[in-house]
């Protein structure tokens, strides 16, 4: 049996240089090296990319990390000699292996393990067995009942019971029904759906075909943002391969059920994550939300009964049908069943994709799986739920990850973006960042969102510019509640969450900006003061040379000084100083 060399070619791997690594390995695989070369998707350990998995002749895995093209010779030599002990630091460490060993993978069960461009690789691991089971041994009602037993809730943010939406669409009158996948994740720092489509597109297709059978849909549509080119390419191929194998199209697996699938590439509007705005975009109109009711289950795409779920939701469906709803419900908590995928980014040591059973804590993820805060700094907060979520402070690190517990903090589960911040982060600046995002992404249909978010942003800008005044925090709170109450859709209703949670947990930072004209995190440039410690300055003149404003003067071998009136607070002097003589207050 030949060894197998597999290169991780998700977007994260390719961005880190996996393409060049593949080419180098291909060139190094001479006839006397008993190995094949292939690709896989993202295993989730994005911080270790490029990753090369080597399965020796006996099937044992030797995982190589942070691989460079010049490492190809060593890897192929190890394969040829069937001795991997000489690969040294290329081999993953025992500590990094815990990143995966502490997870429970359902939605990500195939990611990084199979070739996403080979349908046979998917079927070799029970792929499409769940679809066959559903079509040949279960009625649509039994499928819905199994999903109900599982407790699967929508993984796109709201956490609405999946079975209820499916049942409502099935019960709606009319023969023409549509199934839609919302793959338009737009949260900063979120990449769960992209990774699933790139790494395991057939799990999405299989889940959608089961759902289509359950609700009686003859057409399925995947609405994916055009900024995901690799995902679109791989899903397009997967759809063609599945159709050729009889897993979608007419008379699927000889069951008499027919349903085909197509892709719609969206233009990247965040508001199209809201299901009715997505439907408007599908129909060729500007993505703007509709009033509800009627709900999409009654009048959705072309005003026909429609069901919309996100990628992660569908990625769980085949596993549930194959293993039983009770097996899925056995994981998690009473009110939040199963597992949840998170994209962990920010100031952590180990960033990437994490899937855990509901009921774990934030500490379990951030300090257990992700390894804690890098560079020896202190944990300060985690932004959960993207621009629609909130900032959870260090004092709530032991909060249980389920829908109710997170909502009680003022944050939400959201689609699964988890941005970790350390003590160098200005929380007023964080609120301003997310407000700017939602303001730009507002469709403009309702006044509360279009104007209210802009006014909130203006107040926050004034505060970080050092022009805040007494009463601004109370004004922010009042305006936030007004926007939440009056906005038409979820974008506007949740846009104030980052502001409200940062005020709730970090009020002292707002007060410092307004009353003391200081930024405790030393991030807001208008509030910073640069000076030189005369006892530490060696008179090397590097700070003066790097200052673009010519605000630093002095003689060599004597202490230099900064003219505060001329200083533009760019930080070039602090970055240049080798003696830690520049003070920032």
């Amino acid at each position: 049996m030949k060894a197998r060399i597999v290169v991780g070619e998700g977007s994260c791997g390719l961005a880190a240089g996996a393409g060049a690594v593949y080419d180098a390995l291909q060139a190094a695989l001479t006839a006397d090296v008993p190995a094949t070369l292939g690709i896989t998707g993202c295993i989730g350990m994005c911080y270790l990319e490029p990753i090369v998995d080597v399965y020796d002749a006996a099937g044992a895995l030797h995982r190589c990390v942070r691989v460079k093209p010049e490492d190809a010779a060593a890897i192929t030599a190890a394969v040829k000699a069937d001795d991997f002990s000489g690969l040294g630091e290329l081999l993953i460490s025992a500590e990094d292996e815990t990143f995966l060993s502490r997870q429970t993978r359902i939605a990500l069960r195939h990611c990084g393990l199979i070739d996403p461009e080979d349908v046979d690789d998917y079927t070799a691991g029970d792929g499409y067995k769940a679809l066959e089971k559903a079509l040949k041994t279960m009625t649509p009602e039994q499928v819905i009942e199994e999903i109900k037993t599982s407790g699967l809730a929508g993984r796109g943010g709201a956490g609405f019971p999946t079975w209820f939406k499916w049942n409502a669409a099935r019960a709606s009158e009319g023969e023409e029904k549509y199934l839609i996948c919302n793959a338009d994740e737009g949260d900063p720092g979120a990449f769960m759906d992209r990774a699933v489509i790139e790494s395991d597109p057939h799990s999405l297709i299989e889940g959608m075909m089961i759902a289509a059978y359950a609700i009686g849909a003859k057409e399925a549509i995947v609405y994916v943002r055009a900024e995901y080119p690799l995902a679109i390419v791989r899903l397009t191929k997967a759809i063609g391969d599945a159709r050729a194998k009889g897993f979608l199209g007419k008379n699927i697996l000889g069951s008499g059920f027919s349903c085909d699938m197509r892709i719609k590439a969206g233009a990247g509007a965040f508001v199209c994550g809201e299901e009715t705005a997505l439907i408007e975009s599908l129909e060729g109109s500007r993505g703007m939300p509709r009033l509800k009711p009627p709900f999409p289950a009654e009048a959705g795409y072309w005003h026909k009964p429609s069901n919309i779920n996100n990628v992660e939701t569908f990625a769980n469906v085949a596993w549930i049908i194959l293993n039983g709803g009770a097996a899925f419900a056995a994981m998690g908590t009473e009110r939040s069943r199963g597992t949840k995928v998170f994209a962990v980014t920010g100031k952590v040591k180990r960033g990437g994709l994490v899937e855990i059973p509901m009921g774990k804590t934030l500490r379990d993820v951030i300090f257990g799986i992700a390894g804690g805060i890098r560079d020896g700094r202190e944990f300060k907060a985690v932004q959960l739920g993207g621009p629609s979520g909130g900032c959870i402070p260090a004092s709530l690190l032991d909060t249980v990850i389920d829908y109710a517990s997170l909502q009680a903090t003022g944050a939400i589960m959201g689609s699964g973006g988890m941005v970790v911040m350390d003590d160098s982060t200005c929380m007023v600046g964080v609120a301003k960042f997310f407000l700017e995002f939602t303001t730009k992404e507002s469709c403009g249909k309702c006044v509360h969102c279009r104007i209210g978010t802009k006014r909130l942003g203006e107040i926050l800008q004034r505060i970080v510019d050092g022009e805040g005044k007494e009463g601004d925090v109370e004004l922010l709170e009042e305006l936030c509640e007004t926007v939440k109450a009056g906005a038409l859709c979820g974008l506007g209703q949740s846009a104030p969450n980052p502001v409200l949670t940062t005020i709730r947990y970090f009020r002292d930072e707002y007060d410092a900006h307004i009353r003391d004209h200081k930024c405790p995190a030393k991030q807001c440039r208008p509030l910073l003061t640069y000076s030189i410690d005369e006892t530490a300055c060696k008179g090397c003149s590097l700070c003066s040379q790097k200052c673009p404003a010519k605000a630093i003067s002095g003689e060599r071998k004597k202490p230099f000084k900064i003219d505060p009136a001329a200083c533009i607070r760019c930080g070039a002097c602090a970055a240049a100083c080798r003696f830690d003589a520049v003070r920032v207050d």
Side-chain angles (χ1 to χ4, degrees):
M1 181 178 176
K2 283 188 173 183
R4 290 192 301 124
I5 302 174
V6 184
V7 181
E9 290 199 1
S11 285
C12 53
L14 291 169
V21 169
Y22 183 93
D23 293 341
L25 285 165
Q26 191 172 46
L29 273 177
T30 54
D32 60 340
V33 180
T36 60
L37 180 62
I39 68 165
T40 187
C42 174
I43 192 70
M45 297 187 288
C46 306
Y47 70 105
L48 293 176
E49 295 287 359
I51 296 173
V52 175
D53 286 343
V54 183
Y55 297 87
D56 63 25
L61 170 63
H62 308 273
R63 176 159 287 151
C64 300
V65 299
R66 299 192 178 100
V67 181
K68 301 180 179 62
E70 52 266 33
D71 297 322
I75 292 172
T76 53
V79 171
K80 184 177 179 179
D82 196 24
D83 180 3
F84 299 88
S85 59
L87 291 178
E89 292 185 358
L90 274 180
L91 294 173
I92 189 170
S93 68
E95 182 182 1
D96 284 323
E97 282 184 328
T98 63
F99 182 88
L100 288 178
S101 65
R102 292 176 177 174
Q103 299 185 38
T104 301
R105 294 196 152 202
I106 305 298
L108 302 179
R109 61 194 178 277
H110 298 134
C111 294
L113 301 178
I114 66 170
D115 184 342
E117 299 181 5
D118 186 351
V119 63
D120 292 333
D121 214 10
Y122 181 73
T123 56
D126 291 334
Y128 290 108
K129 291 286 183 63
L131 177 61
E132 184 177 13
K133 177 182 177 180
L135 294 181
K136 295 185 176 180
T137 69
M138 303 172 73
T139 65
E141 290 77 13
Q142 287 174 327
V143 170
I144 293 173
E145 186 63 29
E146 201 67 62
I147 297 300
K148 181 178 181 180
T149 299
S150 75
L152 176 66
R155 297 302 195 241
F160 199 75
T162 301
W163 76 271
F164 191 91
K165 293 178 73 172
W166 289 16
N167 194 57
R170 176 158 191 84
S172 294
E173 295 183 0
E175 289 295 316
E176 191 177 352
K177 297 179 181 180
Y178 295 94
L179 182 76
I180 301 167
C181 173
N182 181 352
D184 192 56
E185 63 179 353
D187 293 4
F191 51 93
M192 300 76 59
D193 292 352
R194 171 179 61 75
V196 170
I197 298 175
E198 289 178 358
S199 306
D200 188 18
H202 288 283
S203 70
L204 171 60
I205 295 171
E206 185 174 16
M208 290 185 70
M209 287 301 101
I210 293 169
Y213 171 67
I215 72 170
K218 301 296 190 295
E219 183 177 354
I221 307 164
V222 181
Y223 186 97
V224 57
R225 52 182 44 225
E227 293 94 332
Y228 287 175
L230 182 61
I232 292 174
V233 167
R234 287 185 177 163
L235 183 58
T236 299
K237 185 178 189 306
I239 289 172
D241 291 345
R243 189 181 292 121
K245 292 279 189 178
F247 298 128
L248 61 82
K250 293 183 178 179
N251 191 24
I252 298 173
L253 297 175
S255 65
F257 173 69
S258 300
C259 183
D260 215 335
M261 181 180 290
R262 64 183 173 90
I263 299 171
K264 164 66 176 178
F270 181 65
V271 71
C272 287
E274 197 280 333
E275 58 184 11
T276 61
L278 184 153
I279 289 170
E280 286 287 308
S281 178
L282 267 180
E283 294 177 355
S285 300
R286 183 178 176 183
M288 302 176 83
R290 298 173 179 174
L291 284 171
K292 291 186 288 189
F295 294 95
E298 303 168 287
Y301 185 49
W302 298 124
H303 300 283
K304 303 294 184 181
S306 306
N307 183 87
I308 302 178
N309 291 113
N310 84 323
V311 174
E312 186 185 339
T313 306
F314 286 125
N316 284 294
V317 169
W319 190 95
I320 291 170
I321 296 301
L322 203 57
N323 295 277
F328 189 83
M331 296 177 280
T333 65
E334 184 176 352
R335 291 186 292 176
S336 299
R337 304 291 187 178
T339 62
K340 179 71 186 80
V341 179
F342 293 94
V344 184
T345 60
K347 301 300 181 68
V348 287
K349 294 177 181 177
R350 304 196 288 258
L353 283 176
V354 171
E355 185 173 2
I356 55 164
M358 300 275 201
K360 295 288 186 179
T361 66
L362 292 172
R363 187 185 301 275
D364 291 332
V365 174
I366 296 169
F367 285 88
I369 297 173
I373 309 304
R374 65 173 185 250
D375 302 327
R377 303 200 72 103
E378 295 293 321
F379 171 77
K380 187 171 189 177
V382 57
Q383 169 73 9
L384 204 61
S388 305
C391 296
I392 302 175
S395 59
L396 297 179
L397 254 178
D398 292 311
T399 298
V400 170
I401 296 174
D402 64 25
Y403 291 102
S405 299
L406 292 177
Q407 192 168 8
T409 70
I412 58 173
M413 183 85 71
S415 58
M418 189 180 287
V419 183
V420 180
M421 292 165 273
D422 65 19
D423 55 2
S424 67
T425 305
C426 173
M427 301 311 297
V428 185
V430 166
K432 173 177 165 290
F433 169 81
F434 284 109
L435 234 295
E436 287 175 343
F437 180 87
T438 47
T439 300
K440 290 174 182 176
E441 294 294 337
S442 171
C443 74
K445 186 171 185 175
C446 64
V447 173
H448 286 80
C449 182
R450 183 179 72 246
I451 304 299
T453 56
K454 187 173 180 61
R455 295 289 92 86
L456 285 169
E458 289 170 350
I459 298 169
L460 289 168
Q461 184 67 57
R462 192 168 70 236
I463 293 173
V464 299
D465 283 345
E467 299 172 1
K469 53 189 178 184
E470 291 293 337
D472 273 350
V473 174
E474 290 73 20
L475 180 58
L476 282 170
E477 291 176 316
E478 180 183 355
L479 186 50
C480 280
E481 296 301 336
T482 302
V483 172
K484 284 170 69 74
L488 177 62
C489 82
L491 188 152
Q493 292 163 8
S494 60
N497 286 347
V499 182
L500 289 171
T501 53
T502 51
I503 291 175
R504 178 177 176 181
Y505 299 117
F506 302 96
R507 174 64 186 261
D508 58 325
E509 291 200 27
Y510 281 86
D511 291 341
H513 280 71
I514 294 170
R515 297 173 184 171
D516 305 328
H517 299 285
K518 294 290 183 183
C519 174
K522 301 179 181 179
Q523 296 296 318
C524 298
R525 282 175 55 177
L527 300 178
L528 301 182
T529 301
Y530 284 81
S531 61
I532 295 177
D533 184 345
E534 294 185 1
T535 61
C537 180
K538 305 299 182 183
C540 71
S541 80
L542 271 178
C543 58
S544 177
Q545 294 174 40
K546 296 293 183 180
C547 179
K550 307 301 180 187
I552 303 176
S553 60
E555 298 180 24
R556 284 184 62 84
K557 298 186 179 181
K558 292 183 179 180
F560 278 64
K561 292 184 178 181
I562 298 176
D563 179 359
C567 177
I568 61 173
R569 305 173 183 88
C570 66
C573 54
C577 183
R578 296 178 296 185
F579 305 104
D580 197 27
V582 178
R583 299 285 181 255
V584 185
D585 299 305

